[in-house]
């Protein structure tokens, strides 16, 4: 199934689709300064949904993420997710 893409070529998966979380994680990894605003601009996500998505990544996939000030940092992709596989969803 084809999904619409935003101006940066990022697929706009439905809210309940796990691939949406993979796009979020990939954006945090890709951006030099992954703030809520920068993530929202790249992904097209609502700013209010980003913290909830980060929490789901922690709980559901064991990703270790920290927010220092306004900037997110990935400490570990966890035991479940493979970085290369997850990043493929950013420009699917």
């Amino acid at each position: 199934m084809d999904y619409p893409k935003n101006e940066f070529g990022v697929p706009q998966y439905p809210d309940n689709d796990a691939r949406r979380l993979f796009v979020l994680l990939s954006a945090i990894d890709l951006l030099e300064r992954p703030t809520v605003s920068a993530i929202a601009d790249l992904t097209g996500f609502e700013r209010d949904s980003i913290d909830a998505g980060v929490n789901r990544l922690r709980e559901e996939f064991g990703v270790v993420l920290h927010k220092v000030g306004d900037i997110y940092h990935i400490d570990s992709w966890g035991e479940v997710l493979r970085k290369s596989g997850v990043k493929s969803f950013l420009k699917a």
Side-chain angles (χ1 to χ4, degrees):
M1 172 180 244
D2 287 330
Y3 292 93
K5 295 180 180 178
N6 69 9
E7 65 270 22
F8 299 109
V10 177
Q12 303 299 292
Y13 297 111
D15 289 342
N16 60 348
D17 192 316
R19 292 173 292 184
R20 188 171 172 84
L21 296 175
F22 301 160
V23 167
L24 172 59
L25 184 58
S26 297
I28 292 169
D29 184 66
L30 175 73
L31 291 165
E32 187 175 321
R33 288 184 41 85
T35 63
V36 168
S37 293
I39 295 165
D41 289 345
L42 175 62
T43 62
F45 291 6
E46 295 292 327
R47 286 173 170 79
D48 295 342
S49 70
I50 292 172
D51 280 332
V54 166
N55 287 333
R56 285 187 61 203
L57 284 164
R58 288 179 184 132
E59 291 174 16
E60 295 177 23
F61 297 103
V63 175
V64 180
L65 278 165
H66 292 47
K67 190 174 181 184
V68 178
D70 292 334
I71 300 172
Y72 289 97
H73 297 277
I74 301 170
D75 290 333
S76 169
W77 288 70
E79 296 290 320
V80 176
L81 301 178
R82 223 179 61 243
K83 183 177 180 176
S84 61
V86 169
K87 290 189 77 141
S88 70
F89 289 99
L90 186 61
K91 295 249 178 168

